[in-house]
Structures are given as structure tokens and as C-alpha cells.
Amino acid sequence: MISVDEIFADDLRNLPSERSLPWEECRDGVTVVVEPKPHWASDMRAFKLNTREYCAYRDWLAAGSSTRFYQHIDTSGDDVMLKARAMIAREIAEGLWR
């Protein structure tokens, strides 16, 4: 049976614009979780791992840790990652992954 970690590792092999699961990036001591872009969005978002702040992914790529982050009412990078891992675990339990 495939594991959650294997599914995330496999998704990381894709280009960032083609990924369907969130991933972590670290620059200058700041870690963010990048949320994949929905089809309707103009850019991806990068959430700080432990605080409820985010920025546009293109800004993160350009400026790294000096990027201007904005407050988010209820989401941190950890929240994004936990929700995605829970979704994949549920799908594995339902037999949707082999």
C-alpha cells in the first residue's frame, strides 16, 4: 500500500506549476508552505509555516524572506499541510490510491 509521504514525494517531482499538493520551501531562515494554484487563480500563495501570514508565490520567488507578508484570518502553512495530508490519508483509507 502507498503511503502519504510517498504520494507527496511523487508530487514533488512535478514542476511547481503542475503540482497538486502543497510543499515546503525555505529561504533565509523562513519556511513557507506553497499552496498549489487552483485553475481560477492568477498565482499560488506561500503561507508562513507557523504564523497566519501569506504572500504571492511570485513575490516569494523574487524576494525570499524579505517579501511582504499579509495577515490571514485563519490559515498558516501548517494548516495547509495538515489539511492536505488528512485528505490524502482519507483517500488511501477509502481505497482510492494503490
Side-chain angles (χ1 to χ4, degrees), residues 5-90:
D5 291 331
E6 290 171 319
I7 292 169
F8 271 81
D10 187 50
D11 193 59
L12 277 176
R13 292 185 189 108
N14 296 318
L15 296 171
S17 62
E18 297 172 358
R19 293 180 186 161
S20 59
L21 297 170
W23 68 94
E24 289 185 16
E25 290 188 10
C26 187
R27 292 176 67 185
D28 305 320
V30 175
T31 302
V32 298
V33 173
V34 182
E35 181 181 55
K37 182 177 98 51
H39 70 281
W40 48 263
S42 62
D43 192 15
M44 294 181 276
R45 295 186 296 178
F47 289 88
K48 282 190 177 179
L49 183 62
N50 296 315
T51 60
R52 292 184 166 126
E53 296 179 272
Y54 74 100
C55 67
Y57 184 60
R58 69 178 165 271
D59 295 341
W60 169 254
L61 289 177
S65 64
S66 61
T67 298
R68 180 175 178 184
F69 284 85
Y70 301 92
Q71 294 289 319
H72 195 280
I73 193 163
D74 65 358
T75 304
S76 69
D78 193 43
D79 297 328
V80 171
M81 193 61 80
L82 286 173
K83 288 177 188 175
R85 293 182 72 79
M87 177 191 70
I88 296 297
R90 190 171 46 253

